[in-house]
Amino acid sequence: MSSPALTEDRIHLKLILVSGKTKEFQFDPSISAGDIAKYLFENWPQEWNEEAVSKADILRLIFHGRFLHSNVTLESLGLPRSKTVVMHLVSRENLPEPSSSDQELKKQRTRYSMLPMFSVHCNVKSYSFN
């Protein structure tokens, strides 16, 4: 089966299921992850019948290792047009809570952003090797 022709005004997604099955789709950049899940549920590919889900609300997209919230648009991710972008599609009731390491990193960023700015001046000597 051939891939759909790439168009310049659309974002091309190659979705991968946990089973390893893949399929390519084209979406308008303004579509949200939630609307993609709804579209996929309503237009579930026949070759994915074994992985069919009971409702659209449990379909989740993963991009660069992060679950996308339903209101995130493809355009807001800065995805290139007319190139294929790979995402994973999984079924999951709830999004995972941020891990303790994510929360600690957020605290550190906040703490460091509140430190006063210091200017450091260095004297640099030039050396000649003749």
Side-chain angles (χ1 to χ4, degrees):
M1 184 171 171
S2 64
S3 299
L6 299 179
T7 58
E8 291 184 22
D9 62 336
R10 314 273 286 169
I11 296 194
H12 310 277
L13 293 184
K14 181 177 186 176
L15 298 179
I16 303 174
L17 300 179
V18 173
S19 66
K21 293 180 182 177
T22 65
K23 185 151 177 76
E24 293 187 23
F25 298 88
Q26 294 184 35
F27 293 105
D28 187 88
S30 64
I31 195 169
S32 68
D35 289 338
I36 292 173
K38 183 178 178 184
Y39 171 84
L40 293 170
F41 178 76
E42 293 171 354
N43 300 280
W44 196 256
Q46 190 154 5
E47 58 267 32
W48 290 0
N49 276 346
E50 290 179 20
E51 290 87 359
V53 295
S54 59
K55 55 186 178 178
D57 295 352
I58 65 171
L59 290 174
R60 306 284 185 209
L61 290 172
I62 301 174
F63 180 60
H64 285 206
R66 303 274 184 186
F67 283 91
L68 300 182
H69 288 274
S70 61
N71 61 341
V72 173
T73 65
L74 296 179
E75 192 168 44
S76 70
L77 296 171
L79 301 179
R81 297 178 191 199
S82 73
K83 291 188 177 181
T84 302
V85 176
V86 176
M87 291 190 186
H88 290 86
L89 180 67
V90 298
S91 60
R92 187 175 189 131
E93 288 287 336
N94 299 307
L95 289 179
E97 292 296 321
S99 69
S100 59
S101 62
D102 287 343
Q103 290 175 347
E104 183 59 31
L105 183 60
K106 192 173 186 178
K107 284 180 191 176
Q108 287 177 355
R109 286 183 185 149
T110 303
R111 195 173 341 157
Y112 292 134
S113 67
M114 295 170 33
L115 290 175
M117 296 297 286
F118 292 99
S119 177
V120 178
H121 298 280
C122 298
N123 292 327
V124 178
K125 295 180 181 180
S126 62
Y127 293 93
S128 172
F129 297 99
N130 293 355

